[in-house]
Amino acid sequence: MSERETVRIGVYVCHCGTNIAATVDVKSLAEYAGLLPNVVLSRDYKYMCSDPGQDLIRQDIRDRQLNRIVVASCSPHLHEHTFRTALKVGGLNPFYFHMVNIREQASWVHENRAQATRKAKNLVSAAVQRVAFHQPLERGRVAIQPDVLIVGGGIAGIHAALTLANAGKHVFLVEREATIGGHMARFDKTFPTLDCAACILTPKMSAVRAHPNITLWTYSEVTKVDGYVGNYKVTVLRQPRYVDEDLCSGCLECIEACVYKQAKVPDDFNLGLSKRRPIYIPFPQAVPQVPVVDPETCIQFKSGKCKTTCIAACGDRHAINLRMEPKEERIEVGTVILATGFQTFDAHRVPYYGYGKYPNVYTALEVERLVNASGPTAGEVVLRDGRRPEAVGIVHCVGSRDENTHRWCSRVCCMYSLKLAHLIKEHTGAEIFNFYIDMRTPGKGFEEFYQKLLTERVHFIRGRVAEVTDWALDPTEEGKLVIRVEDTLAGFVRRIPVDMVVLATGLEPRTDAPEVRRLFNISCASEGFFLERHPKLAPVNTFTDGIFLAGCCQGPKDIPDTVAQAGAAAAEALALIDAGYLETEPNTAHVEEEKCCGCKTCISMCPYHAVAFVDEIHKSRVNEVLCKGCGTCVAACPSGAIRQNLFEDDEIFAEIEGVFSNA
Amino acid sequence: MRPKVAFYWCASCGGCEEAVLDLAEGVLNLADAVDIVFWPVALDFKEKDVEEMADGEIAVSFVNGAVRSSHQLNMARLLRRKSKLVVAFGACAQMGGIPGLANLTTARDTLREVYGEADPPALEFRDNGHTLTLPKLFDSVFPLDRAIPVDYYVPGCPPSPKIVSDMFDVLLNGELPEPGAVLAPDHAMCDECPRRDSRPQELKLDRFHRVQETAIDPEKCILAQGVPCLGPATRAGCGSRCIAGNMPCSGCFGPTSRMRDYGGKALCSLASVVEGNEVAEIDRIFEGLVDPVGTFYRYSLPSSFLERKRWE
Amino acid sequence: MPEPFEPKIVAFFCNWCTYLAADLAGTSRIKYCPNAEVVRVMCSGRVDVQFVLKAFAKGADGVLIGGCHPGDCHYQEGNYKALRRYRLLRRLIRQMGIEDERLRLEWISAAEGDRVRAVINDMVETLKRLGPLQKSEEERAHLLEVA
């Protein structure tokens, strides 16, 4: 742009239906804008983001020789890209554009029409002053590394991995536990079809193992992420299982041969309901089918004095190596899918339900293990003392829909509570009571499932359970757990004695979600789940290009939705990889070398080492590929020798001036 | 015909006059090259003489000192009328200078502080049929360009000999620079500082010292030793004489063309290189930096965005 | 009847946290005082002290800088630089006769839409109590003396 070029600005004020127009006087705003310096035309229109709206811009650029465009509408996070594209199609550099947020930050948050309009006028004036300083810029292109990292080997990670691997991409699937499968591996049957979870999951797990395009690293964690979008350098720490995956044949004789004739260690897979030996496999269909040695409980590790019968049993395969060291792997990937899942709400946090106090209060996941034929009780639903329960109460919404614990609805609990009601009844013939607030059965086949349960003579009591107690008020309650609840449909408080209480615990973000998100530089939403770019338009994208979300780490959901989302994430990754490049926002910094005095202040400002000191010329230089465009070095430069595209001092000062138009 | 030049001082210490004399033998060359028609410190011309000149008769007037009295204002306006070019000579004329720190107070408070008088003096005094007048002292100090349009700025407190001699060269012989230009290089002082290589790339300060609180190593970057040095934020051209004297740069050459508020930018930059992520630790580190206004706006307060301390 | 004093706040919001939080307040239809006008920057680390001083000089009664919580900066450490600058700037403006409460640095994450409301409303209330920062007529007259 030459210094002499006359700036010709077109201003467009969007009504957004009544979203903006109901509170901001859009006509008066457009009129006001038309009188501002350098503004050649000013229009208002119902929906600027629509095709006709964008056409207006494209037409006007050609007909009125506009060289700057301002659109006053919604948040730039929503449509900045849309309008920049409109400029491009209209033949103007897309960065000659500036957007004013008069919806999310004006019409939707203020009530007084005069004040909201006045604010909008100031903001438009600011944009008009700013846009005059805009320079033509080109988006950079960064080549995308074709490999994909998927963090988390539950059903979401598995499905995404298979989809991508089948498309010919190389996938690194990293899973923290010793086996993939996630929470789904613990389920018995899945709603609403009562499919056996293992039957539908294990084939996928095997497919992962067998797929030539998938590198499966279990018992591993991502510890460091360097590099930049499209070119991540990831460090994965592989914990030692003390059994060599390549040499092990999966015969499991070492486990049988362990000196511990009785298993003594609480079995984590069965949630402590059974015990395992120090050498173990999480569950029979674990993938990889390779045992793990737990150094905390293995005698050889603790005292060095074990007969190591396991090693003997392994024989000449020599797969057991108790000297194994943790190993760091460094990989380069272009895209990442986070599928780290959820954790269940800790029922200890609601002590009035008696979990941990009364032995026969269980969480739903524990009961899943009980009903499971390969669980700790071989499918027998029994109490701690081995008796069969005659009456079971299932308490919905534990740790969900509650101001004191979590406000959200965990989405799956009504359905799994119905499923458990059915399964427990099938296994024990007991009388089942479900205590619910609402029955949330929205999915395909869900309502029908609920109707089926209604015919199975399960009792449904609408009420929030207040308390589980063993305090008997009469002989019928002796030795029972009494559930106290207000039956809101009947209109009175009831005491229902049962033998077993099942708490439908909700889903919550994992405790380490904040660390994981910092590793990958994405955000968490207010509840702690990972934040999606847009709940409707971009539910699997994050605000960081190249990083996608799948499954419950983004929010509670059931398996059908998880698998759908995993497929979506894989598709997004695929789209990026096949395009071959990512376009970077050109808001990078650059040093005006003649002006740089070599004070090196900027060098220490950049956490990405994007600013380097060039000794030969005694000046700083910015590597635009590494620069992420924060502008910290720009503010820190003591003599103003570094500038930031799109956020120049001139532009921001102009915006500040404009805000004081005092319309 | 030799070009006519004038030198004048407003609220000034006299150092800028010295700066011209610092040309040493060069002064004689100057005296040959030009016709000095007004120079209160050195020659006997009167204000009346200037008033009688034609407009634009003076080729260049070099005005130093800040404007803070009605008399200075009038003289500035007079010289502007009578001159083709006016140069704001020295930090005071360019930015307000050290007298500019009076913008932290008012005329009334200053007079009260110095003379203990409750009321400011009368500006007119009649005695024996004669009227004596005093100029009015303004409450604020102004840089020269608030009073009159200025053609060029020569920075420094005072401007260094090289800057002064270059100035004469370019104004009297050479092609005139763009109007409004500052006649000194447009990059910061670190570039010419002899200690520049000793400044580390990753500078993180965990305390500040005043010059008298520490022994400054004469070989190493002064800022890296925790003494606030404004060299990185200050225009080059002075020959880093203060550094040679083992004293930190205090910013007398003012900003580069890309800085709009000198003190603000200097503060922003200096604050960026301290350690500390917690408020308590950061505040403790800054305790060693006494008097932020005096440090960052020593010469430039009147030309800053805020201009002066808020009126009480 | 003179119009009641409505303080003017210039707010510098970082794109990833505070600006998104303000958007969230919008999508949630949370209502708050219309006194703040937002200038968007990518990171609170871009906020140059000169911007703040310019805002005050132009007539802002208050300046608000919004960034990500410590440890959560989208660009790792930009917000720490903003914090350090803010602590020193506070002392400077105090010397210039500007009350501490007129300059505010707040950490607001992308999920805290309601906090945007709380901070802005609180700041407006405080500024109403402090009164306008603008130069008084007397001061303006003095500065125009030399014009």
Side-chain angles (χ1 to χ4, degrees):
Chain A
M1 181 193 105
S2 81
E3 298 276 352
R4 298 275 147 75
E5 186 198 22
T6 332
V7 167
R8 295 174 62 83
I9 304 176
V11 178
Y12 300 85
V13 178
C14 186
H15 296 215
C16 193
T18 54
N19 280 310
I20 296 176
T23 313
V24 170
D25 185 345
V26 289
K27 295 258 175 245
S28 145
L29 179 57
E31 233 178 80
Y32 170 80
L35 300 170
L36 293 172
N38 297 319
V39 174
V40 164
L41 69 77
S42 174
R43 295 187 194 285
D44 62 278
Y45 183 66
K46 265 211 158 11
Y47 295 103
M48 278 309 298
C49 56
S50 65
D51 246 2
Q54 293 181 56
D55 261 334
L56 271 179
I57 297 178
R58 296 193 278 259
Q59 250 338 78
D60 286 340
I61 290 175
R62 278 192 280 267
D63 296 345
R64 306 292 301 273
Q65 297 87 47
L66 300 178
N67 54 28
R68 303 284 189 282
I69 305 290
V70 170
V71 172
S73 57
C74 51
S75 171
H77 280 285
L78 212 48
H79 281 308
E80 187 170 57
H81 184 75
T82 311
F83 293 119
R84 279 185 180 159
T85 308
L87 261 77
K88 196 163 169 194
V89 174
L92 198 57
N93 183 288
F95 296 95
Y96 277 137
F97 168 71
H98 197 69
M99 195 152 166
V100 187
N101 185 336
I102 57 169
R103 191 184 71 169
E104 282 87 338
Q105 296 192 18
S107 69
W108 277 352
V109 290
H110 305 315
E111 289 170 306
N112 180 309
R113 193 175 166 81
Q115 287 176 332
T117 306
R118 187 159 186 261
K119 174 166 161 173
K121 286 178 177 173
N122 285 334
L123 290 173
V124 168
S125 177
V128 163
Q129 294 214 29
R130 187 199 213 276
V131 84
F133 288 96
H134 279 212
Q135 301 286 324
L137 296 169
E138 295 302 322
R139 297 188 90 122
R141 279 189 176 186
V142 175
I144 301 266
Q145 240 278 2
D147 293 351
V148 186
L149 167 67
I150 299 182
V151 184
I155 183 63
I158 288 171
H159 183 80
L162 288 170
T163 308
L164 284 161
N166 286 338
K169 308 301 173 203
H170 182 243
V171 176
F172 291 96
L173 180 57
V174 175
E175 164 57 51
R176 170 182 293 164
E177 301 296 328
T179 174
I180 52 176
H183 279 97
M184 190 176 168
R186 287 189 169 103
F187 299 163
D188 176 40
K189 307 270 193 300
T190 56
F191 58 76
T193 46
L194 298 177
D195 281 299
C196 155
C199 306
I200 55 180
L201 177 62
T202 48
K204 283 177 109 89
M205 287 166 61
S206 298
V208 165
R209 188 69 175 130
H211 210 298
N213 287 341
I214 300 180
T215 300
L216 175 62
W217 285 339
T218 52
Y219 222 41
S220 305
E221 262 186 80
V222 174
T223 51
K224 199 156 184 280
V225 180
D226 276 324
Y228 48 93
V229 163
N231 293 270
Y232 290 109
K233 293 178 178 20
V234 182
T235 306
V236 179
L237 181 64
R238 308 205 54 204
Q239 297 291 359
R241 327 165 75 99
Y242 305 106
V243 180
D244 189 322
E245 280 181 55
D246 297 320
L247 298 174
C248 175
S249 69
C251 67
L252 306 182
E253 286 178 28
C254 48
I255 299 178
E256 270 307 304
C258 177
V259 293
Y260 271 83
K261 284 305 151 204
Q262 292 270 353
K264 292 264 167 59
V265 185
D267 180 352
D268 189 53
F269 187 78
N270 281 327
L271 304 163
L273 293 172
S274 66
K275 306 253 194 296
R276 60 158 173 86
R277 297 191 174 87
I279 183 168
Y280 67 102
I281 194 158
F283 64 99
Q285 297 80 26
V287 166
Q289 177 90 173
V290 176
V292 189
V293 178
D294 170 13
E296 310 258 312
T297 51
C298 168
I299 297 178
Q300 183 59 11
F301 275 95
K302 288 180 14 171
S303 69
K305 294 208 181 78
C306 181
K307 291 197 221 103
T308 62
T309 43
C310 52
I311 295 180
C314 187
D316 55 12
R317 279 181 294 275
H318 302 297
I320 300 182
N321 173 8
L322 298 178
R323 290 207 208 316
M324 222 185 241
E325 292 285 324
K327 186 163 175 234
E328 256 188 13
E329 302 271 8
R330 291 208 166 75
I331 57 175
E332 283 186 30
V333 295
T335 47
V336 178
I337 297 180
L338 296 177
T340 49
F342 64 94
Q343 63 190 37
T344 49
F345 175 76
D346 180 2
H348 288 104
R349 287 175 60 184
V350 284
Y352 38 87
Y353 288 157
Y355 184 74
K357 183 172 167 197
Y358 306 122
N360 290 317
V361 175
Y362 291 81
T363 62
L365 201 56
E366 286 169 343
V367 174
E368 280 281 346
R369 296 312 301 151
L370 292 181
V371 303
N372 196 313
S374 58
T377 56
E380 290 290 317
V381 179
V382 288
L383 303 167
R384 307 273 180 183
D385 59 6
R387 282 182 304 129
R388 274 208 175 170
E390 286 172 354
V392 178
I394 303 179
V395 181
H396 290 219
C397 301
V398 176
S400 305
R401 303 187 66 187
D402 182 355
E403 247 178 29
N404 300 317
T405 52
H406 295 311
R407 282 171 180 262
W408 61 83
C409 164
S410 292
R411 205 152 154 183
V412 299
C413 323
C414 277
M415 282 308 296
Y416 79 54
S417 298
L418 290 174
K419 172 193 78 175
L420 286 177
H422 170 86
L423 291 172
I424 297 173
K425 196 159 180 80
E426 200 179 62
H427 285 230
T428 62
E431 211 178 353
I432 316 281
F433 297 87
N434 278 60
F435 301 93
Y436 68 99
I437 307 175
D438 295 288
M439 256 320 163
R440 296 193 160 173
T441 55
K444 200 162 176 180
F446 289 13
E447 179 64 21
E448 294 85 334
F449 187 73
Y450 174 39
Q451 292 298 325
K452 184 163 94 93
L453 259 292
L454 288 172
T455 66
E456 287 180 11
R457 309 190 63 190
V458 170
H459 304 288
F460 287 94
I461 296 177
R462 184 175 179 276
R464 195 78 194 282
V465 170
E467 190 190 15
V468 171
T469 177
D470 64 353
W471 197 288
L473 280 188
D474 67 57
T476 61
E477 293 182 357
E478 297 279 347
K480 300 277 194 184
L481 288 171
V482 177
I483 294 180
R484 288 182 61 235
V485 63
E486 181 192 354
D487 185 336
T488 57
L489 293 176
F492 55 90
V493 175
R494 295 172 68 164
R495 295 173 63 92
I496 305 198
V498 296
D499 298 306
M500 180 191 222
V501 174
V502 183
L503 301 177
T505 45
L507 276 52
E508 60 179 27
R510 288 188 166 267
T511 329
D512 67 351
E515 277 101 72
V516 173
R517 75 138 190 105
R518 275 192 204 116
L519 260 184
F520 292 95
N521 202 18
I522 61 169
S523 312
C524 279
S526 52
E527 312 90 358
F529 294 103
F530 295 145
L531 186 63
E532 67 286 331
R533 187 180 279 238
H534 190 276
K536 295 176 200 50
L537 301 178
V540 299
N541 304 67
T542 61
F543 282 103
T544 305
D545 285 329
I547 303 198
F548 307 99
L549 305 172
C552 290
C553 61
Q554 183 260 345
K557 55 182 68 72
D558 54 29
I559 294 168
D561 286 348
T562 297
V563 172
Q565 205 182 44
E572 294 281 340
L574 215 48
L576 212 50
I577 299 169
D578 282 354
Y581 63 85
L582 244 178
E583 283 194 324
T584 53
E585 185 78 350
N587 59 6
T588 50
H590 58 274
V591 176
E592 285 197 281
E593 274 178 18
E594 338 72 81
K595 312 286 195 194
C596 175
C597 74
C599 73
K600 306 171 201 158
T601 305
C602 51
I603 313 288
S604 61
M605 291 296 115
C606 185
Y608 306 104
H609 307 294
V611 194
F613 196 63
V614 184
D615 283 304
E616 298 82 63
I617 52 173
H618 196 258
K619 291 177 193 294
S620 294
R621 195 174 278 159
V622 177
N623 178 339
E624 298 207 341
V625 177
L626 294 179
C627 173
K628 297 202 190 275
C630 70
T632 303
C633 62
V634 182
C637 174
S639 64
I642 306 188
R643 297 168 51 171
Q644 181 180 14
N645 289 334
L646 277 188
F647 291 91
E648 302 266 10
D649 274 0
D650 281 344
E651 288 164 355
I652 299 178
F653 276 117
E655 223 179 312
I656 297 172
E657 300 246 359
V659 150
F660 288 95
S661 305
N662 281 322
Chain B
M1 263 292 300
R2 291 179 303 166
K4 294 186 175 164
V5 301
F7 295 93
Y8 189 67
W9 51 359
C10 299
S12 157
C13 66
C16 285
E17 314 288 347
E18 297 271 351
V20 177
L21 295 173
D22 276 348
L23 289 173
E25 307 80 41
V27 169
L28 301 173
N29 298 336
L30 183 67
D32 279 339
V34 300
D35 187 10
I36 304 177
V37 294
F38 188 56
W39 196 0
V41 82
L43 306 171
D44 201 29
F45 298 102
K46 308 289 187 228
E47 291 174 18
K48 205 163 49 73
D49 299 323
V50 180
E51 280 162 18
E52 282 167 9
M53 293 181 193
D55 283 1
E57 194 175 321
I58 304 174
V60 193
S61 278
F62 299 93
V63 181
N64 72 72
V67 173
R68 74 151 319 149
S69 79
S70 53
H71 178 237
Q72 290 153 5
L73 177 60
N74 291 334
M75 284 307 298
R77 286 173 172 161
L78 175 66
L79 285 166
R80 176 72 266 182
R81 268 203 318 280
K82 304 296 179 185
S83 313
K84 285 204 188 61
L85 297 175
V86 171
V87 174
F89 190 87
C92 294
Q94 183 194 13
M95 307 184 285
I98 291 187
L101 289 172
N103 279 3
L104 289 172
T105 180
T106 60
R108 179 182 297 257
D109 285 341
T110 303
L111 291 169
R112 187 178 306 151
E113 174 87 16
V114 176
Y115 298 110
E117 298 271 302
D119 294 315
L123 298 180
E124 237 180 49
F125 181 70
R126 288 180 170 278
D127 186 46
N128 250 345
H130 298 284
T131 309
L132 299 171
T133 56
L134 277 178
K136 175 172 180 214
L137 200 65
F138 296 146
D139 280 296
S140 297
V141 177
F142 301 96
L144 187 65
D145 61 13
R146 280 283 254 111
I148 54 169
V150 165
D151 296 293
Y152 299 106
Y153 300 85
V154 174
C157 180
S160 54
K162 179 166 193 318
I163 290 286
V164 175
S165 112
D166 285 349
M167 170 195 80
F168 282 123
D169 270 341
V170 85
L171 290 179
L172 301 175
N173 306 324
E175 215 181 275
L176 287 179
E178 241 181 72
V182 174
L183 304 181
D186 197 14
H187 53 259
M189 205 214 81
C190 289
D191 198 51
E192 52 179 49
C193 178
R195 305 188 193 191
R196 66 177 200 186
D197 290 334
S198 69
R199 177 169 167 170
Q201 286 194 19
E202 295 283 330
L203 181 63
K204 277 261 178 279
L205 297 173
D206 64 356
R207 54 181 311 194
F208 285 104
H209 304 280
R210 302 181 68 185
V211 284
Q212 72 275 23
E213 289 171 350
T214 186
I216 302 178
D217 181 334
E219 307 287 309
K220 297 219 176 73
C221 169
I222 295 178
L223 179 62
Q225 298 177 56
V227 178
C229 174
L230 300 179
T234 307
R235 198 182 275 264
C238 59
S240 51
R241 293 170 296 170
C242 295
I243 310 301
N246 210 28
M247 286 291 281
C249 167
S250 55
C252 77
F253 259 55
T256 62
S257 62
R258 297 163 305 284
M259 299 155 70
R260 297 189 194 204
D261 179 308
Y262 176 85
K265 196 62 157 128
L267 183 154
C268 192
S269 178
L270 201 75
S272 302
V273 297
V274 306
E275 269 182 356
N277 293 333
E278 305 277 322
V279 167
E281 199 195 335
I282 294 170
D283 284 353
R284 179 197 61 75
I285 296 173
F286 284 137
E287 261 168 38
L289 210 161
V290 303
D291 189 10
V293 171
T295 305
F296 298 110
Y297 285 120
R298 182 174 300 191
Y299 303 91
S300 58
L301 188 57
S303 64
S304 70
F305 284 145
L306 292 174
E307 295 178 298
R308 61 156 297 118
K309 180 178 176 183
R310 206 162 147 227
W311 214 258
E312 234 97 283
Chain C
M1 173 75 175
E3 264 185 39
F5 165 55
E6 281 297 337
K8 180 140 180 150
I9 300 172
V10 176
F12 296 95
F13 282 174
C14 88
N15 183 57
W16 302 102
C17 282
T18 321
Y19 194 90
L20 276 179
D23 274 355
L24 177 62
T27 50
S28 314
R29 310 297 195 275
I30 294 172
K31 307 292 182 216
Y32 55 88
C33 301
N35 304 57
E37 269 134 38
V38 173
V39 173
R40 177 175 158 233
V41 288
M42 294 313 282
C43 178
S44 52
R46 176 69 185 95
V47 179
D48 193 316
V49 168
Q50 295 178 102
F51 300 158
V52 177
L53 295 169
K54 179 73 173 181
F56 279 129
K58 289 289 298 184
D61 300 297
V63 174
L64 173 63
I65 305 171
C68 305
H69 287 268
D72 287 351
C73 177
H74 187 86
Y75 303 99
Q76 315 297 325
E77 297 167 3
N79 55 354
Y80 288 118
K81 273 89 170 181
L83 176 62
R84 294 163 197 160
R85 295 168 189 156
Y86 163 74
R87 293 311 296 175
L88 190 55
L89 177 57
R90 249 169 92 88
R91 285 177 54 197
L92 184 106
I93 61 170
R94 205 183 286 152
Q95 281 183 288
M96 297 297 282
I98 298 175
E99 299 94 325
D100 285 355
E101 298 105 311
R102 294 187 185 270
L103 175 64
R104 211 160 144 164
L105 176 67
E106 286 291 340
W107 308 128
I108 302 178
S109 83
E112 293 179 299
D114 196 62
R115 210 158 124 62
V116 173
R117 175 199 61 81
V119 167
I120 291 181
N121 283 355
D122 184 63
M123 203 167 172
V124 169
E125 205 184 294
T126 305
L127 293 174
K128 280 186 172 163
R129 187 177 32 88
L130 290 175
L133 180 61
Q134 281 113 7
K135 300 184 178 8
S136 63
E137 283 309 318
E138 197 192 345
E139 187 179 349
R140 249 190 283 244
H142 262 287
L143 290 170
L144 287 173
E145 207 155 23
V146 181

